[in-house]
Amino acid sequence: FHPHKNHKHHKTMQNAINAFIEWEKEHEVVYHYSEKKIANPRHFYAGTLDFEATVDGELAIGDIKTSNGIYPEFRLQTAAYLEARKSETKQNYKARWCIRVGKETKKDQNGLETVEFEAKRYGKEDQKKDFQAFIAALTLYRRMNELKHGYKN
C-alpha cells in the first residue's frame, strides 16, 4: 500500500479512522488490551478479542467489524468473547461493544466520500440469552459437521 498511488483508498481509510476517533471522543475510553487471544476451555472455543477497555466507566469487550450492517450473530459472538474473558479474569464485565466500519463509501451532504460507521452497546441484560444462543449454535454446528463427515459416537 502506498497512499500516493491510491489516493481514493487512502481517503476512505482515513475517513474510517476519523469515524472511530469521533466515537472515542464521544465516550471515555481506556484500552487494556487489543487483539487478545481468548479461550473458553469449558466449551472448547477460542478467538481473538479486538479490544478490552473501560468505556464510560464500564469494563467492556469490543469487536470491530467491516461489514454492511450490525447483524444479530455479532451479539452472540461478543457474548462468547465476554464469557471467555470472564472465565479467564473473573472480572465483572458490564458491556459489549460492536463497532462497524462499512465496506462501501458514500457521499455525505457536502459531496465528500465517507464510510458508514456504527457503534452498538450491549448491556448485561441480554448477556445470558445471547451466550445460550451462541452455545446452541456451536452445538448445532459441531453436530452437523460430525454427521457430514461420517463421525459416529
Side-chain angles (χ1 to χ4, degrees):
F1 172 76
H2 192 279
H4 301 294
K5 290 184 180 178
N6 191 348
H7 183 69
K8 182 180 177 188
H9 186 69
H10 176 69
K11 272 193 84 65
T12 301
M13 288 187 344
Q14 188 61 53
N15 289 339
I17 292 166
N18 290 344
F20 187 82
I21 290 170
E22 283 302 311
W23 174 79
E24 287 181 315
K25 287 179 183 176
E26 292 171 9
H27 300 276
E28 188 177 317
V29 183
V30 178
Y31 293 98
H32 307 297
Y33 296 102
S34 66
E35 294 298 311
K36 174 86 173 151
K37 301 290 185 207
I38 57 168
N40 186 320
R42 179 173 176 222
H43 295 287
F44 302 104
Y45 68 85
T48 303
L49 180 63
D50 287 333
F51 68 87
E52 179 177 305
T54 301
V55 181
D56 298 330
E58 296 180 323
L59 184 58
I61 59 98
D63 198 39
I64 300 171
K65 300 291 188 188
T66 54
S67 62
N68 291 324
I70 291 183
Y71 303 110
E73 301 90 291
F74 299 165
R75 291 180 68 113
L76 309 188
Q77 182 182 12
T78 59
Y81 285 171
L82 189 140
E83 290 299 320
R85 281 303 284 156
K86 272 180 26 182
S87 74
E88 292 173 349
T89 68
K90 310 299 185 237
Q91 300 257 3
N92 186 17
Y93 292 82
K94 303 278 186 184
R96 302 170 277 147
W97 283 88
C98 184
I99 296 177
R100 180 184 76 85
V101 179
K103 291 180 178 180
E104 307 295 323
T105 60
K106 63 178 186 174
K107 299 226 186 249
D108 67 10
Q109 63 270 21
N110 300 320
L112 300 173
E113 291 280 325
T114 186
V115 293
E116 291 183 332
F117 180 88
E118 187 177 6
K120 178 80 174 156
R121 179 194 173 276
Y122 304 113
K124 290 179 75 170
E125 57 278 352
D126 288 327
Q127 171 62 25
K128 184 176 181 181
K129 283 182 182 178
D130 289 346
F131 184 62
Q132 288 172 337
F134 171 82
I135 293 301
L138 182 62
T139 301
L140 177 62
Y141 171 80
R142 288 175 175 164
R143 182 61 182 146
M144 294 309 290
N145 271 338
E146 288 172 354
L147 295 172
K148 190 184 297 182
H149 298 292
Y151 175 80
K152 295 188 181 181
N153 194 357

